[in-house]
Amino acid sequence: MDYERIISEKFPNCNVEVIQPDFLELKQLIEYITDDIIVYGPHSIMVYNNMLRFLMNVGVTGKIYYLEGFSEEDLSNIHEGLLKFTWNKDVKINLFKNADPDREILGL
């Protein structure tokens, strides 16, 4: 499924990146995403199991990560890494761990 196209059509004001498990090692992937938190400066991050959406102020381009093909354990480690990184920062994490972004967000 072409998640990048589907998400880009649904959220035209966001840069979309679909990441698969062979992209980086898990620790490097967490650092890669947290680097974008610093660059984009979202006020909050919506975490829908395997989809991460940076919420921005109106008119500012956001970012969406779709983590395709990751195990539940890997997703839990990524969520944990994001929570640790944002602890005591101005970024709020909204974790919807049991969400199904394909159905609930993308309407697939």
Side-chain angles (χ1 to χ4, degrees):
M1 191 171 295
D2 187 1
Y3 284 107
E4 188 169 353
R5 180 188 58 77
I6 293 167
I7 296 168
S8 293
E9 288 173 0
K10 184 136 181 110
F11 299 98
N13 293 338
C14 289
N15 295 323
V16 178
E17 192 167 350
V18 176
I19 297 177
Q20 296 182 342
D22 60 351
F23 178 65
L24 292 169
E25 290 181 22
L26 202 54
K27 184 177 178 184
Q28 292 173 322
L29 176 60
I30 294 167
E31 290 175 6
Y32 181 78
I33 294 170
T34 56
D35 284 349
D36 267 357
I37 292 172
I38 294 168
V39 170
Y40 281 82
H43 56 76
S44 62
I45 301 172
M46 305 298 283
V47 179
Y48 304 101
N49 198 22
N50 61 321
M51 187 172 121
L52 313 173
R53 180 179 174 204
F54 293 9
L55 296 181
M56 311 297 289
N57 291 326
V58 175
V60 178
T61 301
K63 178 81 176 204
I64 295 177
Y65 286 101
Y66 190 91
L67 307 172
E68 184 178 19
F70 284 83
S71 70
E72 288 300 317
E73 182 179 347
D74 287 346
L75 291 172
S76 290
N77 288 331
I78 292 167
H79 299 160
E80 181 182 326
L82 293 175
L83 288 169
K84 284 181 181 176
F85 176 78
T86 57
W87 187 256
N88 287 331
K89 294 198 172 33
D90 290 337
V91 179
K92 182 179 177 186
I93 296 281
N94 297 300
L95 183 60
F96 302 97
K97 186 176 175 85
N98 296 321
D100 179 0
D102 287 6
R103 183 174 46 92
E104 297 169 17
I105 309 301
L106 304 177
L108 302 175

